[in-house]
Amino acid sequence: MGKYTISEPFSWKKLWEGLLGFLNPTLWAKDLVSLFNVRKIIIYAVIIAGVFFYAYSIGNQNVPVQVDLGYGREAIVNLGNGEYLWIQKSGEVCVIDNANPEKAKILRVIKVKDLGALKGKLSAIGFQFQPIAVVGYGMGIHGDGGLETGVGISFFRYWHGSVEAFLTQKGVYVGTSYRLDRLSLSNSSIGIAVGKGYQDFTNSNYRIMIYGSIRF
């Protein structure tokens, strides 16, 4: 049985249609859609954008903060513990060790990464963990008054006040004190506390104490 070869005659028309089909953007779009899942492409794009945004944010953590108060003004905010926030006329923000910038030493320049901690310090209320030393006059219900000294922790602040717990040689106290920031004694407070004496601790051996405290 013989072999037969069927050949199709060359056609310029079919060649032209083939070239037009290859260059057709609609057909290209259909092929791309069939090749990729559009939903996945969008998800990948969002993820990539998020990564770049995160990298950008991390890269700006060490950029100094700029605060423009306008009209060449500056401001000083007491942060406590002998530190002051100084917003300069140039807009640069830094922490200094004196309320008078001319006499102050710059402790650090505020950067983007410092804003979280700075927000906590500027808040009117909040928890803190500061060791304190106390001295004052304490007296129990039995009239055994006298000088008491001790140490403790200041664990909460509110406006110009603090809440503290401390031990003295005569008892355990919880008190509230007023910070003396306005007298340039930013580490000092005066307050009143109530507590219990060590002797007969489980009974009504209550004490009261007027004290001064110094934060370390």
Side-chain angles (χ1 to χ4, degrees):
M1 191 172 181
K3 295 182 179 180
Y4 296 93
T5 301
I6 301 175
S7 60
E8 183 178 356
F10 176 78
S11 173
W12 287 101
K13 180 180 180 181
K14 290 184 177 181
L15 176 62
W16 180 248
E17 289 177 351
L19 290 174
L20 290 179
F22 179 78
L23 299 174
N24 191 327
T26 302
L27 296 178
W28 274 102
K30 289 181 179 179
D31 289 339
L32 287 174
V33 169
S34 63
L35 182 61
F36 298 104
N37 186 309
V38 176
R39 180 171 173 271
K40 288 184 178 180
I41 292 175
I42 294 174
I43 293 174
Y44 294 153
V46 171
I47 292 174
I48 293 171
V51 170
F52 274 102
F53 178 77
Y54 176 77
Y56 174 81
S57 299
I58 293 298
N60 282 275
Q61 292 296 296
N62 290 317
V63 175
V65 172
Q66 288 286 324
V67 178
D68 185 9
L69 298 178
Y71 303 102
R73 291 179 295 185
E74 61 181 7
I76 296 177
V77 181
N78 190 345
L79 298 176
N81 296 323
E83 294 185 345
Y84 300 84
L85 185 72
W86 180 27
I87 304 176
Q88 303 181 50
K89 295 178 181 179
S90 63
E92 188 176 71
V93 183
C94 58
V95 176
I96 56 179
D97 62 356
N98 193 299
N100 185 350
E102 296 181 358
K103 300 179 180 179
K105 175 184 177 182
I106 295 179
L107 301 178
R108 59 186 178 276
V109 175
I110 297 298
K111 299 179 180 179
V112 172
K113 65 181 180 182
D114 301 320
L115 292 180
L118 182 61
K119 181 180 178 182
K121 285 192 173 184
L122 293 176
S123 174
I125 61 175
F127 289 97
Q128 59 186 11
F129 187 83
Q130 294 181 325
I132 60 171
V134 299
V135 60
Y137 184 87
M139 184 174 62
I141 58 175
H142 303 300
D144 54 337
L147 181 68
E148 296 185 44
T149 59
V151 293
I153 295 294
S154 176
F155 60 87
F156 189 78
R157 71 176 186 278
Y158 59 93
W159 292 279
H160 288 282
S162 299
V163 180
E164 300 148 342
F166 53 88
L167 305 173
T168 71
Q169 77 272 25
K170 292 187 177 182
V172 180
Y173 292 90
V174 174
T176 180
S177 64
Y178 182 85
R179 296 193 300 272
L180 302 178
D181 297 339
R182 297 183 180 182
L183 298 179
S184 298
L185 299 172
S186 58
N187 290 344
S188 303
S189 303
I190 55 172
I192 186 169
V194 295
K196 297 198 74 174
Y198 298 129
Q199 294 182 357
D200 200 14
F201 186 82
T202 57
N203 294 320
S204 57
N205 186 18
Y206 295 105
R207 300 185 64 82
I208 187 170
M209 181 177 174
I210 298 174
Y211 67 96
S213 68
I214 298 177
R215 294 186 298 278
F216 297 113

